[in-house]
Amino acid sequence: MRKELFFILIFLTLGEGVKAEENILEKTSELTEEAPKKLEISGNLDVKYIGAKSRKSSPLYGLMFYPQNNLSSSLSQTRLEPYLNFDYTTKDIAFHSKNHGIIYGETDSTFDILELYGEFSPNSNFVLSAGKRALNWGKGYIFNPVGYVNPVKDPENPELIQIGKTALMGEYTKTFSSGLVQVFSLSMMSLPPTNKANHYGELKETNFAIKSYFLVDDTDIDFMAYSSTKDARQYGMDFSRNIVANLEVHGEFSFFENASKYSIKATTPEINKIKGNSFLIGGRYLNPSNTTIIGEFYHNGMGLSKADFQNYLNYIKNLISSGTNQAIQQESATSKMKLK
Amino acid sequence: MIKIFLVNTIFLGAILTNAYASEVANNILKSVDKNLAPESYEAYRKLINEEPDGKKKEFLFYTIKKGKDKIAMLYLEPAIEKGRATLRLGDNMWLFIPNVNRPVRITSLQSIVGGVFNNADIMTLEYAVEYNAEIESSSGTENILNLKAKSSTVAYDKLKMWVTKDTNLLRKVECYGASGVLIKTLEFKEDKNFGNGLVRPSKIETYSPLFKGYRSYIIYQKIKPKKIPDEAFTLQYMGKLGDLR
């Protein structure tokens, strides 16, 4: 298993926009007036140096660095990660694009569109958006059992934005000046089928997700559901509340069925469809010296048991010692998904 | 019988006097709130954190406020913080970071900008919403009020407040924790006419015995009454606060 000892981030702010903002203190535009068109270009460059101390006897080390098994246990990596964002906003229409690259060397680099979507907002209550968005459902910091539409997080930096999902989404928000509910919001979205052939998917395999939000008695509460004919069908809720001035508590509870669980039976990988639940409870505490401590307990009902994981490690070990080159590389590419 | 009547009368008199004094103090507090800002407004504010070695860090915020318990703030500068937003609805506070794409709850005692100001200082609601007041003393030019928090989620348990007698303008606030320890002092300086009949201190300076040598300042550059929809003060709108400018 790879253990990353440390990494250094250097943030360089490249640009802060070309919008008409010469003297913001002189701007007096009213809400009812036609807001000026705005184009902003922004970005930053992360320079990362990673030092890794690894246990060479781990089967996952063998899989990760196959076929270069002559590497030492102490490794380093340097990479550049440029981010470039474009935002165009008018009174009721907006376009957003977030782009990210990873540059390991002059001939080894990747480029991702993290987000690319348009929004139409005829009033402050309603927003319709279409495109690729990195949504972030749930209240947990590192894990989100109810993050049905979230991209997979980077375990090294869980708050870092990842590649979003393409969706058509409508969101309605209403506030109330009296009564128990202070704010209500409803989001509905459709996501294209995950299985595609020649860029087409089955219409009946279109996925749907819905989330309702309530601010009730100073507590954030969400109810959400994800409907799919191929993937897991899931429904759940989350909450977050400040108990006192320096303590927040949060939780997520999710129930699922038709979820894919990867495991090794005898010496062969197999996929079983299961149902169960996942949950997370956590808190955020600010101590007197101004340090914030976050603690979370997470149960993943789709995860592997200790015995399952040991079987998987044995399978990897056998694969590396006796498998074909193609089988090993295929396993290497998909191992991340199976371990999720 | 007469004795009992006299005792009851004195007791009732004491209660009524107390209630009247409390009403006067709370009316002064409401007047202080009214003199600080219009009911619904937008403002541009600069925040400066100064460290003991003279280093300074500056932020520029676009702020909107409506009614007694709604305030939202958008970071305009520095560039690396641009697009961040904070929202406060009563005792609830959230922080939105564009790259995280999700508002997270924060607490009033946290400081999202470092320095001496905490979140409650930067996103102040009307004092009368969070505190009950009593008059401690009255000098020639100033009233000194003692304020007690209405709930445990308020950042400071007690405040001691200096208010000008003739104009009900804020001059100084001392903030105390539940243990009675002085946490920080806020001084309100440099009265400025912001137009639309609003004359208020334009500079707030704070220092704390817990952060020796550190000072922080908020400088109001512009305050203007503005009609703002209630939905602008929701989690769903935090990423779009800039549209209101």
Side-chain angles (χ1 to χ4, degrees):
Chain A
M1 290 280 278
R2 187 175 64 151
K3 276 187 180 174
E4 292 187 345
L5 296 179
F6 59 90
F7 61 92
I8 301 167
L9 289 179
I10 303 169
F11 294 99
L12 301 174
T13 302
L14 293 178
E16 54 179 299
V18 292
K19 59 186 273 192
E21 197 182 35
E22 297 80 28
N23 186 353
I24 55 161
L25 301 179
E26 298 304 318
K27 274 191 93 176
T28 56
S29 62
E30 290 287 348
L31 185 68
T32 51
E33 289 174 7
E34 180 74 23
K37 290 179 182 177
K38 300 178 208 172
L39 171 66
E40 286 190 53
I41 302 171
S42 60
N44 61 286
L45 174 66
D46 294 358
V47 182
K48 293 185 178 177
Y49 177 80
I50 299 168
K53 180 78 177 166
S54 306
R55 186 164 56 86
K56 282 190 76 175
S57 58
S58 165
L60 293 178
Y61 177 93
L63 187 65
M64 183 175 282
F65 295 107
Y66 183 85
Q68 298 168 293
N69 286 336
N70 55 346
L71 290 169
S72 80
S73 59
S74 298
L75 303 171
S76 71
Q77 184 189 90
T78 306
R79 65 180 191 242
L80 308 180
E81 292 191 29
Y83 290 82
L84 190 59
N85 311 317
F86 301 90
D87 297 280
Y88 179 78
T89 312
T90 68
K91 188 183 172 191
D92 48 9
I93 291 175
F95 294 96
H96 303 279
S97 170
K98 283 192 170 78
N99 308 284
H100 169 239
I102 302 179
I103 302 166
Y104 297 100
E106 284 178 19
T107 56
D108 187 3
S109 59
T110 60
F111 174 79
D112 300 308
I113 297 174
L114 302 178
E115 292 193 314
L116 180 63
Y117 67 96
E119 274 185 328
F120 171 61
S121 180
N123 54 52
S124 55
N125 297 87
F126 183 72
V127 184
L128 183 69
S129 74
K132 195 176 194 180
R133 290 190 71 171
L135 294 168
N136 202 344
W137 287 9
K139 305 295 183 202
Y141 177 69
I142 300 173
F143 303 103
N144 294 113
V146 298
Y148 307 143
V149 293
N150 297 3
V152 177
K153 289 187 177 186
D154 178 355
E156 292 169 10
N157 186 354
E159 293 207 321
L160 206 60
I161 189 167
Q162 301 297 318
I163 300 171
K165 291 184 178 174
T166 302
L168 174 68
M169 185 171 97
E171 185 173 70
Y172 175 78
T173 303
K174 175 80 182 155
T175 60
F176 302 92
S177 53
S178 61
L180 194 63
V181 178
Q182 294 158 269
V183 181
F184 166 73
S185 174
L186 182 70
S187 312
M188 297 174 82
M189 57 197 294
S190 75
L191 300 98
T194 44
N195 293 336
K196 286 178 185 166
N198 198 22
H199 307 306
Y200 283 92
E202 290 284 350
L203 184 63
K204 63 184 179 189
E205 290 178 11
T206 301
N207 305 306
F208 296 96
I210 184 168
K211 180 165 83 94
S212 57
Y213 164 80
F214 301 86
L215 176 60
V216 183
D217 191 26
D218 293 336
T219 307
D220 293 315
I221 301 172
D222 293 289
F223 295 97
M224 54 279 281
Y226 183 86
S227 163
S228 174
T229 53
K230 284 284 174 189
D231 303 329
R233 291 181 291 277
Q234 303 177 81
Y235 51 97
M237 64 87 65
D238 67 26
F239 73 92
S240 172
R241 181 184 172 92
N242 289 354
I243 301 293
V244 287
N246 61 346
L247 178 65
E248 177 265 358
V249 292
H250 57 262
E252 298 182 24
F253 305 90
S254 175
F255 301 90
F256 58 82
E257 55 188 23
N258 197 40
S260 300
K261 180 175 178 177
Y262 296 85
S263 58
I264 306 298
K265 193 164 186 183
T267 55
T268 314
E270 64 172 23
I271 300 171
N272 294 310
K273 293 290 183 184
I274 60 165
K275 64 177 183 179
N277 63 74
S278 299
F279 62 87
L280 175 141
I281 49 173
R284 185 187 298 247
Y285 171 71
L286 178 75
N287 77 4
S289 61
N290 265 346
T291 303
T292 298
I293 299 159
I294 300 169
E296 292 182 339
F297 176 82
Y298 174 48
H299 165 74
N300 181 7
M302 295 185 200
L304 301 178
S305 67
K306 202 172 177 181
D308 287 338
F309 189 66
Q310 192 53 52
N311 285 343
Y312 178 68
L313 292 180
N314 292 338
Y315 167 74
I316 298 292
K317 208 181 280 182
N318 292 335
L319 190 70
I320 291 170
S321 60
S322 59
T324 64
N325 191 38
Q326 189 186 357
I328 295 168
Q329 286 183 347
Q330 189 180 347
E331 186 61 38
S332 177
T334 56
S335 62
K336 196 182 276 184
M337 189 185 295
K338 290 180 179 177
L339 286 170
K340 196 181 121 185
Chain B
M1 187 70 180
I2 293 172
K3 224 179 196 174
I4 293 170
F5 177 74
L6 276 175
V7 169
N8 278 340
T9 307
I10 292 166
F11 187 64
L12 188 65
I15 291 173
L16 289 174
T17 309
N18 240 345
Y20 177 71
S22 178
E23 194 185 331
V24 170
N26 282 309
N27 282 339
I28 294 174
L29 194 60
K30 282 177 190 167
S31 185
V32 167
D33 287 328
K34 200 177 161 191
N35 289 337
L36 282 175
E39 205 224 342
S40 179
Y41 71 85
E42 66 173 6
Y44 288 92
R45 300 185 294 169
K46 188 166 256 191
L47 188 147
I48 303 166
N49 289 328
E50 196 176 286
E51 295 182 9
D53 59 4
K55 274 186 193 162
K56 284 183 184 176
K57 190 169 184 190
E58 292 190 12
F59 299 84
L60 182 65
F61 301 128
Y62 172 69
T63 305
I64 53 169
K65 184 173 177 288
K66 185 174 185 181
K68 295 179 186 303
D69 64 347
K70 298 184 192 79
I71 183 166
M73 204 171 82
L74 175 71
Y75 288 62
L76 301 176
E77 292 175 9
I80 199 159
E81 310 268 11
K82 195 170 183 175
R84 283 188 176 216
T86 52
L87 169 67
R88 182 173 186 186
L89 293 176
D91 293 337
N92 306 286
M93 287 187 195
W94 298 268
L95 167 67
F96 175 85
I97 302 171
N99 271 356
V100 178
N101 254 357
R102 173 180 62 177
V104 291
R105 269 190 181 255
I106 52 176
T107 61
S108 54
L109 281 177
Q110 273 180 290
S111 178
I112 47 170
V113 290
V116 187
F117 285 118
N118 63 28
N119 298 340
D121 300 325
I122 301 166
M123 293 193 287
T124 313
L125 297 177
E126 295 189 2
Y127 287 104
V129 174
E130 297 188 295
Y131 293 94
N132 287 316
E134 284 178 2
I135 296 178
E136 183 193 279
S137 61
S138 189
S139 69
T141 56
E142 288 181 335
N143 283 316
I144 301 175
L145 307 182
N146 280 328
L147 275 59
K148 172 79 180 142
K150 290 179 180 174
S151 80
S152 62
T153 51
V154 176
Y156 308 111
D157 188 55
K158 287 172 197 157
L159 301 180
K160 191 171 180 179
M161 182 180 273
W162 281 256
V163 181
T164 59
K165 249 182 177 176
D166 51 347
T167 53
N168 280 339
L169 281 176
L170 206 46
R171 284 290 165 252
K172 190 165 100 170
V173 177
E174 286 180 352
C175 311
Y176 294 89
S179 61
V181 174
L182 174 65
I183 297 174
K184 71 181 62 155
T185 303
L186 304 165
E187 289 184 7
F188 294 74
K189 299 174 172 176
E190 297 177 21
D191 292 348
K192 179 179 168 183
N193 188 345
F194 287 91
N196 300 296
L198 180 68
V199 178
R200 59 154 289 164
S202 62
K203 184 175 173 184
I204 305 170
E205 183 178 340
T206 185
Y207 47 90
S208 166
L210 307 176
F211 300 95
K212 284 197 173 123
Y214 288 82
R215 277 186 182 253
S216 293
Y217 308 87
I218 289 178
I219 299 161
Y220 280 82
Q221 299 185 318
K222 183 178 176 181
I223 306 174
K224 189 178 161 219
K226 185 178 177 97
K227 269 179 134 182
I228 306 165
D230 285 342
E231 281 70 26
F233 300 91
T234 59
L235 305 189
Q236 290 70 26
Y237 208 87
M238 289 180 81
K240 296 185 289 178
L241 276 179
D243 298 355
L244 293 176
R245 293 175 60 211

